[in-house]
Amino acid sequence: MRATLLIPFYVTSLALSVAGLSPLNAMVLAVPVAWAVSCGRRGWTVGLIMLNMLTLSAGRGSLLAGAVGTLVSLSGVPAGYRTRRGGWFGEVAAVFALAAFAVLGLQMALYWNENLAQWQHFLDSQASQITESEVAEAISAWREYLPYVVPGSIFAGCYMVALLQTQVLFGLLRRMEPDGCAPQPQGRFILSRPADTLVWLAIAVLAGLVLDYFRSSDAVRFIAWNLGIALSAVYWFNGLGIVLFGLEVFRVPVWVGVILLGLLVVTSLQSMLLVFGFFDTWFDHRLVLARLAAARAQQNPNGPEDNGPSDEP
């Protein structure tokens, strides 16, 4: 692969740095690192890490900020190793998310009071811009709930970005000519499913929520609420993958699919994605959709024979 294909990552990172969108500016640079590691190019890996340090330091005008951002970009190292060892799309995305959250979570814990003050100030500034007093009071009321929702929300953001990172990484690898060094990406987003064992963690979270309701506990609430938000993000995106899988196997026109997805996301129906994603553990909705599409193809022999995706779930 030509090195010029990596230039857009660094241009994007500088633009995000100027806009003050941290840690997105660093998470963008995790993809080139993951690419180099997955291809087994150690020299490239070291060089890209050093380039990340220079880019992030220049973009933020601070060597310390550049060092922290470089640690975030190092999430590409374990993700690259997992890709090289044949990891599937969902596994690589999980590694991206967990590695980035480990750095951001440590930073959040070390500067907890300062971060909490910034979050509270942000809520107050948002409330001051709203003319309706009831809405402003509702926003201000969230001040006391911040510790119970922010860590989980940060992981949800890391997971969303990780899905994009994995999509781009797999796209880069698929564009490369087979040379025996680059691994063949396994799976796609629409085929990735959370591990079935994750449902036991979800059940434990539900038990924690019930316990907190009957016997209030700050520790239980902190764990249950934040884990609940994190798991909700995982299952919501699984539900989105199911919908995209259905659109593909039934060969829905792109413009129709965009309209349907837009209506689904901007309305209250988006909560159904969470439901679909969670109960997919037992019902395997993709398999059901694939069978329905196959039955439809048999009833319409004049249509295309291939109604399924190219990779096996």
Side-chain angles (χ1 to χ4, degrees):
M1 186 184 72
R2 293 177 301 176
T4 54
L5 292 178
L6 300 180
I7 294 177
F9 293 96
Y10 292 90
V11 174
T12 302
S13 176
L14 288 173
L16 292 173
S17 297
V18 173
L21 297 178
S22 176
L24 287 178
N25 58 339
M27 299 177 81
V28 169
L29 300 183
V31 177
V33 174
W35 166 80
V37 173
S38 65
C39 294
R41 302 183 179 183
R42 297 181 179 179
W44 275 77
T45 302
V46 175
L48 289 173
I49 292 174
M50 296 177 62
L51 183 58
N52 290 355
M53 179 70 175
L54 293 174
T55 303
L56 294 170
S57 298
R60 297 305 304 273
S62 169
L63 186 61
L64 178 59
V68 174
T70 303
L71 290 177
V72 175
S73 71
L74 288 179
S75 62
V77 174
Y81 276 120
R82 191 71 194 101
T83 302
R84 185 168 180 80
R85 295 177 181 179
W88 283 75
F89 186 100
E91 296 174 336
V92 176
V95 172
F96 262 127
L98 290 172
F101 181 74
V103 178
L104 297 176
L106 178 61
Q107 182 190 31
M108 179 171 48
L110 292 175
Y111 301 97
W112 178 257
N113 292 330
E114 293 85 347
N115 290 328
L116 185 61
Q118 291 179 0
W119 300 331
Q120 292 174 342
H121 176 72
F122 173 76
L123 284 182
D124 293 339
S125 64
Q126 294 298 312
S128 63
Q129 298 175 6
I130 298 177
T131 56
E132 297 182 9
S133 59
E134 295 182 358
V135 177
E137 292 176 359
I139 293 177
S140 298
W142 272 96
R143 288 169 56 97
E144 62 178 298
Y145 297 112
L146 285 174
Y148 310 116
V149 298
V150 170
S153 300
I154 291 177
F155 176 82
C158 289
Y159 185 69
M160 179 181 68
V161 175
L163 293 173
L164 295 174
Q165 289 173 312
T166 309
Q167 184 70 27
V168 174
L169 173 62
F170 278 28
L172 288 175
L173 293 174
R174 289 190 173 107
R175 292 185 61 179
M176 294 181 61
E177 296 181 0
D179 57 2
C181 297
Q184 180 64 31
Q186 302 294 322
R188 293 185 292 155
F189 168 67
I190 66 172
L191 299 177
S192 61
R193 301 176 66 222
D196 291 341
T197 54
L198 201 62
V199 73
W200 294 108
L201 183 59
I203 293 174
V205 168
L206 293 175
L209 294 176
V210 173
L211 178 63
D212 178 62
Y213 179 78
F214 288 102
R215 187 175 181 179
S216 180
S217 169
D218 289 341
V220 173
R221 180 177 300 177
F222 178 85
I223 297 173
W225 283 32
N226 283 301
L227 277 178
I229 293 173
L231 290 174
S232 295
V234 172
Y235 286 117
W236 190 92
F237 281 107
N238 184 42
L240 179 61
I242 293 171
V243 173
L244 293 175
F245 180 88
L247 295 176
E248 179 173 312
V249 295
F250 283 102
R251 300 193 178 278
V252 177
V254 176
W255 65 272
V256 176
V258 171
I259 293 176
L260 291 176
L261 286 175
L263 292 175
L264 189 64
V265 171
V266 302
T267 63
S268 58
L269 292 176
Q270 66 169 303
S271 59
M272 295 301 297
L273 295 177
L274 175 60
V275 176
F276 287 148
F278 180 73
F279 285 98
D280 184 56
T281 304
W282 296 278
F283 297 105
D284 197 347
H285 296 117
R286 292 176 179 83
L287 180 60
V288 174
L289 290 172
R291 288 175 176 174
L292 290 174
R296 180 186 178 188
Q298 292 179 354
Q299 295 176 358
N300 184 21
N302 295 327
E305 295 182 358
D306 183 12
N307 285 278
S310 58
D311 297 325
E312 292 294 332

